[in-house]
Amino acid sequence: MNASINIPKHDLLIDGKRVPPGTGNYSTILNPATEEVIAYVASGSARDVDVAVRAARAALKVWNGIRAAERGMILNRLADLMEKNQDELISLESTNAGKPIASVRRQDMPAAIDTTRYYAGWTDKIMGQVVPARTDALTYTVREPVGVVGAIVPWNFPIMIGMWKIAPALACGCTMVVKPAELTPLTAIRIGELALEAGMPPGVLNIVTGRGSVVGDAMVAHPGVDKVTFTGSPNIGRGIMQGAASNFKRITLELGGKSANIIFKDADLDNAVRAGASGVFFNAGQVCSAGSRILVQNEVYDEVVDRLIQRAKEIRIGDTVQQDTIMGPLVSSGQMKTVLDYIDIGKKEGASCIYGGERVDRKGFYVEPTIFTNVEHEMRISQEEIFGPVASVIRFKDEADAIRIANGTAFSLAAGVWSGDIGRVHRVAHALKAGTVWINTYGFTDVRLPWGGTGESGFGREHGEAALENFTEPKTIWLSLTERLGSPR
Ligand code: NAD
């Protein structure tokens, strides 16, 4: 029997229907842990995007014709269905993105459901204000949906980051065309189906899979898209900003990071090293807020390095379906090559690769947890986002030195500070150029707290109430209380 008979083939999801791509082409989706083909997925075209945008535009009226509280119930039903189908979603996410299954169950899946429920609760609380500007007029604001939203999602947390965009946009009354990353589209397709099952009208949530340079580009260029919400790399983000200028689209960009995790000599070293190691090696380092620069005060540098090596040795690399696997593969052979190239660059720049540094000798795109010492702040491995399990351990002398090094990259997404001195942790937290600072912990996010950065880390904030501003426009309304309004009274 031909094995390919059992490999699922996925069409686009437009206007509530599965439709084949205009090109007739399907791309091959691999499991990065086994290098086996797990699905064929439609390669959408600019024309498919156009059809999806038109469907989303037509659905705006329908979606906003539904009572806000009812829209919240539909989102809550979607969350219920995600919960009910979570074994399937977890398995899809794990095999598609190469994530250890236990980690998806513990982190990605609950976060995706929590995000959906959180924004379901916002639908009927998106309020304007009555502003007492004058006595002879009733002046107030309402918040209207921005319209059709194009969402472009990366491959490192497909379902979680997907819902970070889908849930608030839909809660605000927007309709959407979602483009998952070409490598990891499987959970987005399923979410689109579950949304229909939850009672979401056709056309509200369209999923157009395909290449970024085709589908993503077409979304950014399309005059019918009012807003693009993008998470991905700074280079693509820059192109999106330029493309969005064509019709003055609103955009939010969640881009890269090169976060510093600063360990002072008076820190609780057990905790600092444990969180420092998971801060950089979690998800095989494919995390925008990875603490990939571990800054360590001179006095404890050697001890921290020894302990980091010990931690790296304890990381169980393995098949993603095994419950006790801690680290899986990188998402693709291309990403593996990028990471191995950076390891070479680090060695050539004169840093010492004291642990790891090699591809793991097994099937799949696995790279060992890797630790560099003797890293100078100016080196490329200290300045550029590697997006793999590579830690640069950098020395610092004192507080001022640590802040200077931490703030010395083009990124500013997140940072960590470890110290027992309450004054110091606050001083440093305030001085750090970062959208999020963790004190004596590392790496947590919560949908109730704003998330984002500045500079090469992008702009705008996701999560919390801040995200509602991304998907609404304030409108000011004047109502004259007299026959004729004159000068202000
Ligand atoms: P990427 O920029 O290569 O791709 C992101 C998305 O953009 C994908 O869906 C891709 O198909 C699409 N895309 C590619 N070319 C495009 C084009 N010309 N026009 C429109 N869309 C296009 O990023 P990636 O490799 O998927 O993800 C890794 C990057 O994402 C890292 O830089 C990481 O730091 C960043 N990231 C940031 C956050 C955050 O919250 N700040 C979270 C996760 C990842």
Side-chain angles (χ1 to χ4, degrees):
M1 196 175 83
N2 185 346
S4 69
I5 290 171
N6 298 321
I7 296 175
K9 187 170 160 189
H10 298 284
D11 286 324
L12 310 170
L13 190 65
I14 299 178
D15 208 11
K17 295 181 279 291
R18 293 181 193 87
V19 289
T23 56
N25 296 332
Y26 290 78
S27 66
T28 302
I29 304 297
L30 298 182
N31 176 346
T34 61
E35 303 179 40
E36 282 163 6
V37 177
I38 51 170
Y40 300 107
V41 169
S43 292
S45 64
R47 210 186 106 52
D48 295 320
V49 170
D50 183 52
V51 177
V53 171
R54 284 168 199 274
R57 190 145 288 284
L60 266 175
K61 208 162 160 202
V62 181
W63 190 226
N64 285 280
I66 297 175
R67 212 162 47 92
E70 175 64 24
R71 278 193 271 120
M73 285 179 220
I74 295 174
L75 279 171
N76 261 324
R77 279 204 293 275
L78 171 59
D80 292 343
L81 287 170
M82 288 163 72
E83 215 154 0
K84 189 170 150 208
N85 294 279
Q86 64 176 304
D87 287 346
E88 179 200 355
L89 288 165
I90 289 166
S91 164
L92 279 178
E93 189 83 330
S94 169
T95 46
N96 190 181
K99 288 163 174 279
I101 197 151
S103 161
V104 181
R105 186 174 293 282
R106 196 180 55 246
Q107 209 252 334
D108 308 50
M109 196 64 224
I113 295 169
D114 184 37
T115 300
T116 312
R117 290 206 192 287
Y118 173 76
Y119 284 109
W122 266 112
T123 53
D124 54 0
K125 298 170 194 71
I126 300 170
M127 289 181 251
Q129 287 178 312
V130 175
V131 183
R134 30 196 297 168
T135 53
D136 55 358
L138 172 62
T139 45
Y140 64 100
T141 62
V142 290
R143 298 202 73 92
E144 297 183 334
V146 292
V148 175
V149 172
I152 303 178
V153 182
W155 43 256
N156 59 341
F157 292 94
I159 195 168
M160 183 180 85
I161 295 182
M163 292 319 298
W164 285 3
K165 299 184 183 309
I166 293 170
L170 296 183
C172 289
C174 298
T175 57
M176 304 188 83
V177 180
V178 175
K179 195 210 84 60
E182 47 266 65
L183 294 169
T184 57
L186 299 187
T187 44
I189 295 168
R190 196 67 189 107
I191 291 290
E193 293 170 346
L194 293 177
L196 290 170
E197 201 180 322
M200 206 166 282
V204 171
L205 178 61
N206 305 280
I207 312 290
V208 180
T209 49
R211 295 178 66 82
S213 55
V214 178
V215 174
D217 226 33
M219 273 167 49
V220 174
H222 201 295
V225 174
D226 301 290
K227 149 105 196 176
V228 169
T229 167
F230 171 79
T231 299
S233 58
N235 269 345
I236 305 289
R238 192 171 286 116
I240 285 175
M241 207 166 164
Q242 283 159 350
S246 64
N247 72 335
F248 301 99
K249 271 188 188 64
R250 289 182 56 178
I251 51 173
T252 33
L253 301 176
E254 297 290 348
L255 308 178
K258 192 73 192 175
S259 300
N261 200 358
I262 308 169
I263 303 177
F264 283 94
K265 64 182 179 195
D266 61 352
D268 171 343
L269 291 189
D270 271 349
N271 274 330
V273 171
R274 182 190 42 76
S278 64
V280 61
F281 297 133
F282 173 62
N283 208 39
Q286 303 165 116
V287 181
C288 51
S289 54
S292 52
R293 294 183 299 150
I294 303 181
L295 275 48
V296 187
Q297 198 158 20
N298 274 329
E299 290 85 338
V300 291
Y301 186 87
D302 292 338
E303 183 179 351
V304 166
V305 167
D306 285 347
R307 289 188 187 214
L308 276 172
I309 294 173
Q310 194 45 47
R311 281 272 161 192
K313 281 184 184 158
E314 288 163 14
I315 292 175
R316 276 185 303 279
I317 297 175
D319 207 321
T320 47
V321 293
Q322 298 293 332
Q323 294 297 334
D324 60 352
T325 292
I326 294 191
M327 201 167 103
L330 297 172
V331 76
S332 64
S333 62
Q335 188 60 21
M336 180 178 69
K337 182 174 179 323
T338 304
V339 171
L340 291 172
D341 285 351
Y342 266 114
I343 292 171
D344 265 358
I345 290 167
K347 289 174 183 166
K348 287 192 184 119
E349 283 180 312
S352 312
C353 182
I354 54 153
Y355 188 80
E358 302 292 336
R359 179 176 185 178
V360 179
D361 184 20
R362 57 172 291 152
K363 220 162 175 50
F365 310 124
Y366 290 81
V367 172
E368 295 173 328
T370 299
I371 301 173
F372 276 101
T373 55
N374 292 323
V375 180
E376 298 296 331
H377 172 54
E378 295 73 21
M379 290 177 179
R380 284 185 63 191
I381 58 163
S382 174
Q383 290 290 323
E384 297 175 19
E385 186 179 39
I386 299 175
F387 229 54
V390 183
S392 291
V393 195
I394 304 171
R395 288 177 182 275
F396 70 86
K397 197 168 74 215
D398 54 21
E399 200 173 301
D401 200 26
I403 293 167
R404 178 186 63 80
I405 297 170
N407 287 347
T409 75
F411 299 101
S412 55
L413 185 61
V417 50
W418 296 83
S419 164
D421 178 336
I422 186 99
R424 163 172 288 156
V425 291
H426 284 289
R427 268 195 314 274
V428 175
H430 285 270
L432 286 171
K433 205 174 62 149
T436 295
V437 178
W438 291 289
I439 297 173
N440 293 337
T441 183
Y442 197 87
F444 286 88
T445 57
D446 188 296
V447 70
R448 291 151 197 86
L449 293 162
W451 177 252
T454 55
E456 295 228 359
S457 297
F459 55 78
R461 292 291 182 272
E462 293 195 302
H463 293 184
E465 206 171 340
L468 305 178
E469 309 218 335
N470 294 337
F471 300 110
T472 54
E473 289 285 3
K475 175 181 275 178
T476 299
I477 297 177
W478 287 66
L479 169 74
S480 173
L481 297 176
T482 65
E483 215 167 281
R484 196 164 156 196
L485 277 185
S487 358
R489 276 196 285 129

